[in-house]
Amino acid sequence: MDSLLVKVPYRVSDKPVVSGFDQDTPPLGIYTLKAYLKKYGYDIKACHVINNKDLLDLKETIKLKSPKFIGLSATTYEFIQAINMAKLCKSINPKIPIIIGGPHVSINYEEALKYKEIDIVSRYEGEETLKELLENYSNGEFTNLENIKGIAFRKNDKVVVTPNREYMDLDEIPLIDYSEINRNRYKQQGVLITSRGCVGRCIFCAAASGVFGRFRERSTQNVFQDMYELYHKYGISQINILDNSFTVNKKRTHDVCNLIINNNLPIRWNCETRVEGVDKELLTLMKKAGCYSIQYGVESANDKTLANIRKGTNIKTINSSIELALEVGIEHICCNFIIGLPGDTVQTLEETFEYMRKFKASKRVHLSVSVLTPYPGTYVYNHAEDIGVNILTKDWKRYNGMDVVCETNELSAKIIREIYYKAYNEFYVTSYKEYI
């Protein structure tokens, strides 16, 4: 076996959950890497560890197949679990190199390499990096690591960082093979990413930090072809589009929708986007093409707070985009709000909650609340002191959007926590009760 790719779990549990980090969708990252490497003839296994059976399968694969290397994928709140997973893998076969990738270690590669179990960090996009690592692996070791872009590794007790890799042509990445995935374990079986990066510059967002590269899109025909295959090859009619902002290029969105309609493709799909990325004409076409749910990152109903976080919009545009989605018949409009943003006060948050109450009774508008989380690489993380944010801990497992890990000049951690619990119970629980 050339490589074993592992999606690190937020938790390992045999109990199903109503809604959770690990059981909503297949882990697109590792399956995309697998599809790309298989295109070049490599023998790759992807393993999504959710329960104890998965853990046993992982251990058996390492013992019986002895992959050339193990690749771990982890976000910030999964980082400590990733280190524990690396220790487990090394305990089974200490000779197998372990490579870790993901947005957290792309920024914090030195932290990752402090752990002896981690041999190489794959920074930013991993497809070509892993391919080159396989090409430069022979006789049980890697060669020419200094010439492989996009990695960090230890050499003579020093960390070596190679130059960043050029951005990929996203059309070169094939659709993942759903025949190899137990789709029954996921709530949303079909997942697609049709772009990487984001045009926004929100101070709290990893996409805006450049972790995912500059904003790039797959071609219209490439996107439609994947949708067509999902339905006709795998029988998947509901698709979750995981782009940060699917409709930013309105012409491309128009073209994709028209291809769906003109080819009578009977799919339903959802997406996330920015409020300024839609208008009535586009939303009407999206509805006709099968869009049943749209998610907006609203964050706040206070224009000054929106300016503080560089949201690039205002409450008038936000309100219009929500109302238009309701008007054209989109079934679910999901609106995300953040508590504890720089400049927010008890009064501005109450202004936001009053705005949210306008939609509280609606069966079609679903309200989500989280707390400000300064992920590594974001503007709020790099400039915390400058914008009045005090980061209280770097216990990464608490960086989940629910635990309070920072406070601001205006709001203490205690107050943020109290407001969050109150808002969660008023909006999130009641809003999602029937939706989930």
Side-chain angles (χ1 to χ4, degrees), residues 338-353:
I338 298 176
I339 294 170
L341 294 166
D344 250 339
T345 64
V346 172
Q347 291 71 31
T348 62
L349 283 170
E350 185 55 39
E351 184 181 331
T352 293
F353 299 150

Side-chain angles (χ1 to χ4, degrees), residues 131-312:
K131 176 173 167 285
E132 287 190 20
L133 283 168
L134 284 169
E135 290 170 347
N136 287 274
Y137 184 91
S138 62
N139 299 319
E141 62 181 26
F142 293 105
T143 59
N144 301 317
L145 284 181
E146 289 89 347
N147 296 324
I148 298 176
K149 293 182 178 179
I151 64 172
F153 59 95
R154 289 183 302 271
K155 184 176 181 180
N156 300 325
D157 296 325
K158 291 185 178 180
V159 174
V160 177
V161 186
T162 64
N164 291 347
R165 183 171 294 281
E166 295 80 4
Y167 297 127
M168 287 193 66
D169 176 357
L170 300 184
D171 282 356
E172 293 297 315
I173 301 174
L175 179 67
I176 65 178
D177 187 352
Y178 280 88
S179 67
E180 300 176 342
I181 301 173
N182 178 8
R183 293 171 1 220
N184 293 327
R185 72 195 310 193
Y186 302 107
K187 292 181 176 65
Q188 301 192 57
Q189 298 179 1
V191 288
L192 281 182
I193 287 184
T194 79
S195 66
R196 287 181 180 174
C198 186
V199 298
R201 289 295 175 264
C202 303
I203 67 173
F204 55 84
C205 184
S209 72
V211 170
F212 303 102
R214 61 173 172 77
F215 181 71
R216 292 153 292 149
E217 299 173 314
R218 294 167 58 200
S219 65
T220 300
Q221 189 60 46
N222 187 276
V223 173
F224 174 73
Q225 184 61 36
D226 276 5
M227 292 176 167
Y228 187 90
E229 282 194 37
L230 279 170
Y231 180 76
H232 286 286
K233 186 175 181 179
Y234 299 110
I236 296 174
S237 59
Q238 183 164 313
I239 301 172
N240 186 16
I241 298 175
L242 298 179
D243 297 29
N244 292 297
S245 44
F246 176 64
T247 69
V248 165
N249 183 341
K250 292 182 181 179
K251 182 183 184 307
R252 190 190 72 140
T253 311
H254 271 273
D255 292 343
V256 170
C257 288
N258 282 325
L259 281 171
I260 294 170
I261 295 165
N262 295 337
N263 287 276
N264 298 311
L265 191 63
I267 59 172
R268 283 165 54 82
W269 51 277
N270 60 54
C271 69
E272 179 179 350
T273 196
R274 296 174 61 84
V275 292
E276 70 273 20
V278 296
D279 52 43
K280 186 174 182 179
E281 178 187 3
L282 180 59
L283 287 168
T284 302
L285 187 64
M286 290 167 62
K287 165 68 176 174
K288 186 178 179 182
C291 178
Y292 71 94
S293 178
I294 190 166
Q295 179 173 303
Y296 296 131
V298 178
E299 326 313 353
S300 173
N302 180 273
D303 280 341
K304 186 175 179 182
T305 300
L306 291 171
N308 286 343
I309 63 173
R310 303 180 181 177
K311 191 66 187 176

Side-chain angles (χ1 to χ4, degrees), residues 203-204 308-310 340-343 372-394 396 399 405-411:
I203 67 173
F204 55 84
N308 286 343
I309 63 173
R310 303 180 181 177
L341 294 166
L372 176 66
T373 305
Y375 294 106
T378 60
Y379 185 90
V380 70
Y381 182 89
N382 292 334
H383 301 273
E385 186 176 347
D386 298 338
I387 58 176
V389 173
N390 178 27
I391 298 175
L392 301 171
T393 180
K394 292 184 181 178
W396 302 126
Y399 277 55
V405 296
C406 67
E407 59 188 8
T408 66
N409 289 343
E410 295 79 15
L411 297 171

Side-chain angles (χ1 to χ4, degrees), residues 299-300 305 336-342 344-345 349 352-353 356 368-373 401 403-404 406-408 411-413 415-424 427:
E299 326 313 353
S300 173
T305 300
N336 301 326
F337 296 82
I338 298 176
I339 294 170
L341 294 166
D344 250 339
T345 64
L349 283 170
T352 293
F353 299 150
M356 294 170 71
S368 169
V369 291
S370 60
V371 296
L372 176 66
T373 305
D403 284 340
V404 179
C406 67
E407 59 188 8
T408 66
L411 297 171
S412 68
I415 292 174
I416 293 172
R417 190 176 295 110
E418 290 172 353
I419 293 174
Y420 170 67
Y421 288 152
K422 180 181 177 183
Y424 182 90
F427 300 108

